[in-house]
Amino acid sequence: MDQGLYIKSIQTILASQSEWGSYVASPNFPTYQYCWLRDGSFIAHAMDTAGEFESASAFFKWVGRTIQRFSYKVDEARLRLAAGLPMGKDDLLHTRFTLDGEEVYIDNTWGNFQIDGYGTWLWALNEHVKISGDFSLLQSLKEPIEITLRYLELAWKLPNYDCWEEHPEYLHTYSLSTVYAGFQAAGEMIASGKLNIKTIPVKALATEVLQFILEFAVRNGRLVKYFCPPGEESETRLIGNDGVDASLLAAAMPYQLLSFDDPIFLSTLKKIEEDLHRTGGGVYRYKADVYYGGGEWILLAAWLGWYYASVNQFDKAQALCQWIESQADENGWLAEQVSDHTLYPEHYVPWVKKWGPIAKPLTWSHAMYVILVNALNKG
Ligand code: BGC
């Protein structure tokens, strides 16, 4: 383990945290000057694994305040859905916010409707209280937790953008697994006796989501990247995508939708290893990825390593850790992705022209590295 990079990663995360508690996705990349619930939840979890509880707690409080600010949207969305009215692109809770917790309207085409961050923050919050022992946070966050649960209950079957902010017309297995994790986490927090929510049947909802995934998201014995909302398949609409996405690792690690030895998870993992893990290198998001040419993602390499460390395959985890360390630049910064072995090199330059050089440092990359190092240390 590179002690220097570990310390630098913690410093980079702390430097990326605003006075309000939010974490900026990347300080140097204009398009990522915001806080995403998805990135932020994993960043907070990384800080928990590093014992930096104050930072994580400040993030959860920021999430709480932000969700409360927009809770009226959940009530309005319920009325719209009940009346069969169409849902506008900004009628649901957004995926990213300014650092002080406002919605972002600078790019009106942004796919704001992404449910995964809402499941993920509940998962990360439950992990936080278990690791830090600070259960008092649950009482102060009761309202936003409840709003999130009502939101997920309402929205989980609606097609929405995936965790890479693509394919809004489908249901995404990764996103659904976060919803499962969110309901499960709420169940645990309620069972701890420190969170009093009686109106939402979280355990039953978790079971419903699990059954839905098993019924619709499994093909050829493994999880698929995305699929059509049931009943909506047509000749003009693709049935879905039966390839894998590296984010499906989350089904077992950390969301525990499937156990580590579940045959469906093991087949999914095998396909990810075969199709997306470059031998001796990093991990691609999915086979058709053209974003900046489709490079290897640091955070996904760490994620695969996190899984290996959790099942005691330390050599493999160590190899991924070393690969990540070899990708740090002279400042000790980790990028979002690296471009030495892109899947579609011809797509690299057009993205650089559009948004500038690849985001670096990417706070989420540093966070996943911290998680991996701590998983290795634990082992
Ligand atoms: C990624 C998202 C991420 C965002 C900010 C996007 O390019 O696809 O997963 O949340 O960047 O890091």
Side-chain angles (χ1 to χ4, degrees):
M1 196 258 284
D2 177 345
Q3 186 70 20
L5 184 60
Y6 181 81
I7 292 168
K8 181 74 193 180
S9 292
I10 302 282
Q11 286 168 350
T12 304
I13 294 173
L14 287 173
S16 82
Q17 187 158 32
S18 73
E19 62 189 282
W20 300 281
S22 52
Y23 298 109
V24 67
S26 176
N28 304 334
F29 188 73
T31 323
Y32 290 1
Q33 298 292 306
Y34 309 105
C35 183
W36 273 255
L37 290 198
R38 167 178 47 252
D39 303 35
S41 301
F42 282 106
I43 298 164
H45 183 61
M47 293 308 255
D48 279 331
T49 67
E52 298 276 348
F53 301 135
E54 229 177 275
S55 167
S57 167
F59 170 75
F60 293 121
K61 288 177 188 160
W62 173 84
V63 175
R65 287 192 302 276
T66 303
I67 288 177
Q68 260 174 304
R69 182 173 298 161
F70 295 102
S71 69
Y72 67 91
K73 288 189 151 190
V74 180
D75 301 323
E76 286 177 11
R78 181 180 301 283
L79 296 175
R80 289 186 86 84
L81 284 171
L85 293 170
M87 197 67 80
K89 70 182 223 7
D90 291 310
D91 289 337
L92 289 144
L93 295 179
H94 281 197
T95 186
R96 58 171 194 171
F97 298 90
T98 59
L99 300 187
D100 60 351
E102 294 293 345
E103 290 182 333
V104 184
Y105 283 98
I106 195 165
D107 176 354
N108 216 28
T109 59
W110 202 269
N112 290 315
F113 178 33
Q114 308 174 19
I115 55 170
D116 64 293
Y118 289 88
T120 305
W121 97 272
L122 293 179
W123 164 79
L125 174 63
N126 183 37
E127 295 305 300
H128 172 76
V129 294
K130 286 191 292 185
I131 301 171
S132 69
D134 178 15
F135 283 88
S136 66
L137 198 54
L138 297 185
Q139 193 45 43
S140 58
L141 292 177
K142 177 177 184 287
E143 225 177 290
I145 295 172
E146 206 161 1
I147 296 165
T148 307
L149 292 169
R150 280 196 280 116
Y151 178 60
L152 289 177
E153 184 181 21
L154 195 70
W156 71 271
K157 272 192 197 167
L158 301 176
N160 66 103
Y161 285 85
D162 66 14
C163 63
W164 312 128
E165 318 198 274
E166 296 172 334
H167 306 299
E169 60 279 40
Y170 295 110
L171 292 172
H172 305 280
T173 310
Y174 169 80
S175 304
L176 289 167
S177 72
T178 71
V179 177
Y180 168 84
F183 287 138
Q184 280 288 86
E188 275 191 33
M189 292 189 278
I190 293 166
S192 75
K194 304 286 196 262
L195 176 69
N196 185 14
I197 294 179
K198 295 210 173 77
T199 46
I200 304 159
V202 287
K203 286 278 170 202
L205 283 163
T207 307
E208 202 187 326
V209 178
L210 171 63
Q211 280 164 356
F212 185 82
I213 292 174
L214 293 177
E215 185 171 356
F216 298 106
V218 180
R219 279 198 213 123
N220 306 318
R222 60 170 188 266
L223 295 171
V224 294
K225 176 173 163 63
Y226 60 73
F227 55 99
C228 244
E232 286 191 24
E233 293 94 347
S234 76
E235 279 179 25
T236 52
R237 202 163 181 170
L238 289 171
I239 296 297
N241 181 322
D242 69 359
V244 286
D245 187 293
S247 65
L248 291 171
L249 289 167
M253 191 69 213
Y255 299 137
Q256 293 172 20
L257 172 94
L258 301 175
S259 59
F260 289 139
D261 57 0
D262 185 299
I264 297 172
F265 177 70
L266 290 175
S267 303
T268 310
L269 172 72
K270 186 162 174 274
K271 186 85 177 142
I272 291 171
E273 289 171 329
E274 284 167 7
D275 288 3
L276 303 176
H277 180 201
R278 191 177 66 78
T279 312
V283 175
Y284 299 103
R285 295 194 297 181
Y286 55 95
K287 263 184 155 179
D289 187 8
V290 295
Y291 184 50
Y292 282 90
E296 296 153 272
W297 279 54
I298 304 277
L299 71 94
L300 291 172
W303 208 319
L304 183 58
W306 184 19
Y307 160 75
Y308 286 141
S310 309
V311 292
N312 301 330
Q313 296 183 25
F314 295 112
D315 289 352
K316 289 183 182 175
Q318 192 62 48
L320 283 157
C321 189
Q322 276 163 7
W323 178 80
I324 293 169
E325 287 163 352
S326 72
Q327 302 307 315
D329 72 4
E330 60 288 356
N331 299 313
W333 284 347
L334 295 170
E336 177 183 65
Q337 54 173 300
V338 294
S339 312
D340 302 335
H341 303 272
T342 48
L343 297 168
Y344 303 94
E346 67 281 13
H347 284 273
Y348 176 77
V349 172
W351 275 104
V352 176
K353 283 194 180 141
K354 188 175 173 189
W355 281 358
I358 288 170
K360 187 169 73 169
L362 187 87
T363 319
W364 190 9
S365 294
H366 283 278
M368 296 304 278
Y369 171 68
V370 167
I371 291 174
L372 171 58
V373 168
N374 286 321
L376 274 164
N377 286 342
K378 207 168 149 191

